[in-house]
Amino acid sequence: MSRPSSSLSLFPPDQGIPFLPGNSFSDPNRTNFRKSHIFDYRSGTPIQHDVPIRDDGAPASPSRPPSVVPSQVSNYRSISAENSSEFIPAFAGLDGKVLRFEAFITEQVPENLSEPSRVRKFTILYHLVDDSIQINEHRQQNSGYAQGVFMKRHRVPKQELGSQEFVTLFDFASTTVINIYNREFHLTSCNHFTQNFFEANGLNLEFESIIPEDKYMSQRALSESKMNRGAASPMTTSSYNEILDNKSEDTYRVESSIATLTTAQKRDMREKFLKYANKVLRFYAQWDDRSSMFGQKLEYIINYFLQDDKIEVLEVKQQNSGRDPFPKLVKKQRVPRVFRGVPSVGSKEEDFEDEYISDKDLIVGNTIEIFGRDMFLYDCDSFTREYYLHQYGVEQPANQVEPETHVEFPSMPLPPYNGFGSEHDSLASYFNLIPKPRKYDRTKQAALDSIIFRWKAKFDIEKMSMVNPDDHKRRFVISYFMGDGSLSIYEPPIQNSGFVGGKFLERQRVIRHKAKFGDWMTEQDLLIELPGTVWINNYPFSLLETDKFTLRYIHKGKLDNIVSIDLIHQKMRNKVQGMSREIMNVFRLIDEEQSGAVSLDDLVNVIRKFNFELDEDEIIALMGRWDQQKNGFIFYEDFVRTIFE
């Protein structure tokens, strides 16, 4: 007994054969084997087909829409054929239809000295089907550009800030300039289809009628035409003078005087060699190239050799200019007035005699062209002035250099102290990623390390903003170290004062009051007339007195300004009051010869015997006062009578 088929028993015939393992059979009723889909790619752009549905629910095969002409276009995004109710999508009606524009751009050429800008011509293709744009550059021989496809086909976003829209054909209407990726394309013309398309849609087109001249390509065409003819047409002196403009009255007067002179048709080199051997005209020139990218204003020396009419240009080396020291910009050679490229093969120098720079062209105040560089002649030497005065009767103008405008560049202020370490540490972390220790002048530190100035000080209560009631009792010792310019403050402790005492300020360099970082206090800020006030870290200190070492430094060793002889006498008188007889007897015992005079050493012994408590400076001042004859002896009777009686 045969087993019935599962497909016949489980599924009705109108549902077809189930797609199960072992039951994969082809449908004999199927006639269309095409793969039905509504998603496709056209010209690299994903599109969706609008496929109609048959009565039985199956998708019908799409039919190709009829071709559309611009006169049938009512809206470039929704196109319908005339007298037809069938819907035609935009991708079908606009497929293969392209708007064509001719345009140009002007680009700066900073690396070329002979041409400031260059004109490049393009063809802009606008595809209506997806608003994509492709730009092709016209090919020009030996232009230096790759040319061909300048921009591949894609939708171009608008350059407005924050805008997410794309460039459409409405951006080409009623304008002569369209911006594509920050390049301004100037529209010059379009084809007939583009013109009809814009007129049919009520859009206006505008074009620029004048295309700027490309000087580079014009010069190349002129040079090639001259090479084809075999010789270049010479430029006369009058035509060259028409090129120069913007001259001063002195320059115009000099040129007028030289223009009246007659020149020989052919140079006599032997006569010039015998007459002008080793004689050179020297001019000082400037080349201002600051209008171009990374350009500078440079100084040059132009030497004109009279014996062969050749020119060399030397660059003036400036200290710390950052430029490589090239000694010669132009080696010794004849220089044309206007450089038009290398002469053709077989041409002679005599054929271009009128085109080379001569001594008549070199006038102070003129601007000459040396291989594309505009050199402004602002001065010359004395020999050059005498040459023009005797040879042509022309006096060269004075120095024409203009004063440079002072440009103040903004400087970045130093950051404030961040609170970590000293102020040197904070500043070191600003200048270097890995902070470096401060450098010391070892020679100065070794020579001045033993010099320390000290002052006794207190707070200036009247100038303090916040005063403690007990601040008037506090005393300080300020020390200044000449070795490294540092300063320290020590506060002697006072019992039951409420202040700990000790180090008030660690040894460090101190900034002047209300000054910027780096303006440090020096010994001149502290070596002032006493009593005086000094601000240290926003604290006003009143300097009361100083030690003898500091006084010697201030007064440069003059004891008259350090000690007073009258005060020394008074100090000795108060110490041994009523003991003049005993002092006299001591001097007489020392004076064994009874001469009435003792040596300075004996005087020192007497001072120590009676304990007058005089320091070294006071003893030296006392000896200088009584040793009038400078022989090392004093008369002790007058000494005792004056001081103690």
Side-chain angles (χ1 to χ4, degrees):
M1 182 177 180
S2 62
R3 187 176 180 179
S5 175
S6 60
S7 60
L8 298 177
S9 60
L10 298 178
F11 298 93
D14 57 349
Q15 293 186 5
I17 301 174
F19 188 72
L20 295 174
N23 292 325
S24 300
F25 304 102
S26 60
D27 188 0
N29 298 324
R30 185 177 179 182
T31 59
N32 186 4
F33 295 93
R34 295 179 57 187
K35 180 181 179 182
S36 301
H37 61 279
I38 61 174
F39 297 104
D40 199 356
Y41 276 86
R42 286 288 184 89
S43 301
T45 303
I47 61 176
Q48 178 179 356
H49 292 285
D50 296 330
V51 182
I53 305 300
R54 295 203 306 256
D55 295 338
D56 57 357
S61 64
S63 60
R64 184 174 180 85
S67 60
V68 186
V69 296
S71 60
Q72 297 173 330
V73 179
S74 60
N75 188 300
Y76 88 104
R77 301 305 292 163
S78 177
I79 303 175
S80 300
E82 290 183 353
N83 302 323
S84 176
S85 59
E86 182 182 1
F87 175 74
I88 302 176
F91 69 86
L94 298 177
D95 186 20
K97 293 180 171 51
V98 181
L99 304 181
R100 183 187 183 95
F101 298 91
E102 300 295 331
F104 72 90
I105 63 174
T106 303
E107 285 189 348
Q108 299 294 327
V109 187
E111 68 274 5
N112 196 336
L113 302 175
S114 61
E115 55 170 335
S117 60
R118 184 171 296 179
V119 179
R120 302 173 64 179
K121 299 178 182 180
F122 300 89
T123 298
I124 302 177
L125 303 177
Y126 185 91
H127 297 262
L128 292 171
V129 66
D130 55 357
D131 293 333
S132 60
I133 298 176
Q134 179 178 343
I135 302 178
N136 300 329
E137 184 175 3
H138 295 185
R139 294 189 179 275
Q140 296 181 0
Q141 187 177 5
N142 296 329
S143 65
Y145 293 101
Q147 301 176 343
V149 178
F150 181 75
M151 187 185 75
K152 293 184 178 180
R153 177 182 173 183
H154 66 281
R155 298 186 70 186
V156 178
K158 291 186 177 180
Q159 299 301 314
E160 286 81 1
L161 185 62
S163 177
Q164 298 181 356
E165 300 179 355
F166 295 91
V167 176
T168 62
L169 65 85
F170 296 105
D171 297 315
F172 289 84
S174 301
T175 182
T176 60
V177 179
I178 181 169
N179 191 303
I180 297 178
Y181 291 120
N182 289 331
R183 292 178 183 264
E184 293 184 351
F185 288 84
H186 299 261
L187 304 179
T188 58
S189 63
C190 66
N191 60 357
H192 185 67
F193 172 80
T194 305
Q195 185 71 30
N196 294 339
F197 184 87
F198 273 79
E199 291 178 357
N201 288 273
L203 300 177
N204 184 28
L205 284 176
E206 297 180 2
F207 302 105
E208 293 189 5
S209 59
I210 299 176
I211 301 177
E213 180 185 3
D214 193 336
K215 295 183 179 180
Y216 173 75
M217 300 305 298
S218 300
Q219 291 179 1
R220 286 191 58 87
L222 180 61
S223 177
E224 291 176 358
S225 63
K226 289 182 178 180
M227 291 177 62
N228 295 332
R229 291 197 303 267
S233 60
M235 174 179 278
T236 61
T237 306
S238 60
S239 62
Y240 173 70
N241 291 335
E242 292 178 358
I243 299 177
L244 302 177
D245 54 359
N246 298 329
K247 300 181 176 64
S248 60
E249 295 182 359
D250 294 338
T251 306
Y252 180 76
R253 176 176 55 80
V254 173
E255 288 184 341
S256 300
S257 301
I258 293 180
T260 59
L261 301 174
T262 59
T263 58
Q265 296 296 329
K266 187 175 181 180
R267 296 186 304 156
D268 189 353
M269 300 303 298
R270 292 177 297 176
E271 179 184 0
K272 292 179 70 66
F273 174 77
L274 296 174
K275 188 176 181 180
Y276 298 114
N278 299 327
K279 292 184 179 180
V280 182
L281 304 180
R282 173 169 291 184
F283 292 88
Y284 303 97
Q286 290 179 343
W287 176 40
D288 193 355
D289 191 40
R290 291 176 294 185
S291 59
S292 62
M293 186 181 299
F294 309 116
Q296 297 180 356
K297 189 174 184 180
L298 304 177
E299 301 282 340
Y300 293 93
I301 295 177
I302 300 178
N303 293 327
Y304 183 88
F305 297 87
L306 292 172
Q307 65 180 9
D308 51 6
D309 298 329
K310 292 185 178 180
I311 293 176
E312 73 173 359
V313 182
L314 307 178
E315 183 175 353
V316 179
K317 182 181 178 182
Q318 302 289 346
Q319 294 293 336
N320 299 325
S321 62
R323 298 176 58 87
D324 291 333
F326 291 104
K328 288 186 179 181
L329 179 69
V330 178
K331 69 177 183 179
K332 184 179 177 181
Q333 58 180 294
R334 300 205 70 187
V335 179
R337 292 190 179 95
V338 180
F339 181 67
R340 295 188 178 88
V342 180
S344 59
V345 178
S347 60
K348 299 181 180 179
E349 185 177 321
E350 291 78 7
D351 299 336
F352 309 97
E353 183 64 33
D354 294 337
E355 295 190 8
Y356 289 109
I357 295 177
S358 64
D359 56 350
K360 302 178 183 62
D361 301 314
L362 302 177
I363 304 299
V364 174
N366 271 6
T367 300
I368 63 174
E369 180 182 338
I370 297 182
F371 295 114
R373 294 172 173 85
D374 294 331
M375 297 287 184
F376 174 70
L377 307 178
Y378 66 87
D379 200 4
C380 62
D381 59 359
S382 58
F383 172 77
T384 305
R385 296 182 185 276
E386 294 177 0
Y387 170 81
Y388 280 88
L389 187 61
H390 291 85
Q391 184 72 16
Y392 301 116
V394 173
E395 183 178 358
Q396 289 279 7
N399 194 329
Q400 301 290 321
V401 65
E402 298 180 357
E404 293 288 342
T405 57
H406 180 67
V407 180
E408 294 184 359
F409 295 97
S411 58
M412 181 178 295
L414 295 177
Y417 175 54
N418 57 15
F420 294 96
S422 64
E423 294 185 352
H424 293 282
D425 301 332
S426 175
L427 191 62
S429 63
Y430 166 73
F431 285 114
N432 300 282
L433 181 62
I434 300 177
K436 298 180 180 180
R438 183 168 62 93
K439 296 182 179 180
Y440 293 93
D441 190 349
R442 302 298 179 183
T443 304
K444 176 182 176 181
Q445 188 173 4
L448 303 178
D449 197 28
S450 60
I451 301 178
I452 303 174
F453 301 140
R454 292 184 176 89
W455 291 267
K456 182 180 179 181
K458 67 175 183 179
F459 282 135
D460 193 344
I461 304 299
E462 297 179 356
K463 296 183 179 180
M464 293 184 65
S465 58
M466 299 179 63
V467 182
N468 191 295
D470 295 329
D471 281 343
H472 66 281
K473 301 178 182 179
R474 305 174 68 178
R475 294 295 181 267
F476 304 91
V477 177
I478 301 176
S479 301
Y480 182 83
F481 301 86
M482 286 285 290
D484 56 355
S486 59
L487 188 145
S488 66
I489 301 177
Y490 176 77
E491 181 179 5
I494 302 176
Q495 293 184 356
N496 299 326
S497 64
F499 300 100
V500 178
K503 289 184 179 180
F504 183 80
L505 178 66
E506 188 75 24
R507 179 178 173 179
Q508 59 183 272
R509 299 183 74 183
V510 179
I511 303 175
R512 286 192 178 97
H513 184 56
K514 295 182 179 180
K516 295 181 180 179
F517 184 82
D519 189 5
W520 310 107
M521 290 186 66
T522 62
E523 69 276 6
Q524 301 299 330
D525 300 318
L526 296 170
L527 297 176
I528 60 177
E529 185 178 355
L530 302 181
T533 302
V534 176
W535 287 83
I536 301 176
N537 288 352
N538 293 329
Y539 284 97
F541 288 91
S542 178
L543 305 182
L544 304 177
E545 57 181 284
T546 183
D547 58 356
K548 291 294 182 65
F549 177 82
T550 307
L551 286 176
R552 292 194 195 100
Y553 183 87
I554 296 174
H555 299 291
K556 299 180 181 180
K558 295 182 180 180
L559 295 178
D560 295 340
N561 299 327
I562 300 175
V563 296
S564 174
I565 192 66
D566 294 335
L567 294 178
I568 296 174
H569 291 172
Q570 184 65 33
K571 182 178 180 180
M572 296 175 65
R573 189 180 301 113
N574 296 335
K575 183 67 176 177
V576 291
Q577 189 173 9
M579 297 179 63
S580 60
R581 185 180 300 275
E582 288 79 357
I583 296 174
M584 183 66 73
N585 293 334
V586 173
F587 277 116
R588 287 173 180 173
L589 290 174
I590 296 174
D591 184 14
E592 296 178 355
E593 298 179 358
Q594 301 298 321
S595 61
V598 295
S599 64
L600 295 178
D601 294 337
D602 296 335
L603 176 62
V604 174
N605 293 331
V606 172
I607 291 174
R608 292 176 177 175
K609 178 177 178 61
F610 287 93
N611 194 17
F612 286 112
E613 297 181 355
L614 300 181
D615 57 16
E616 183 180 355
D617 293 335
E618 292 174 340
I619 293 175
I620 294 175
L622 188 65
M623 293 168 61
R625 164 66 178 79
W626 290 101
D627 186 11
Q628 298 293 337
Q629 298 180 359
K630 306 299 180 183
N631 57 1
F633 292 91
I634 66 169
F635 296 97
Y636 56 85
E637 291 183 359
D638 294 339
F639 176 79
V640 174
R641 189 181 304 110
T642 302
I643 297 178
F644 302 104
E645 294 181 2

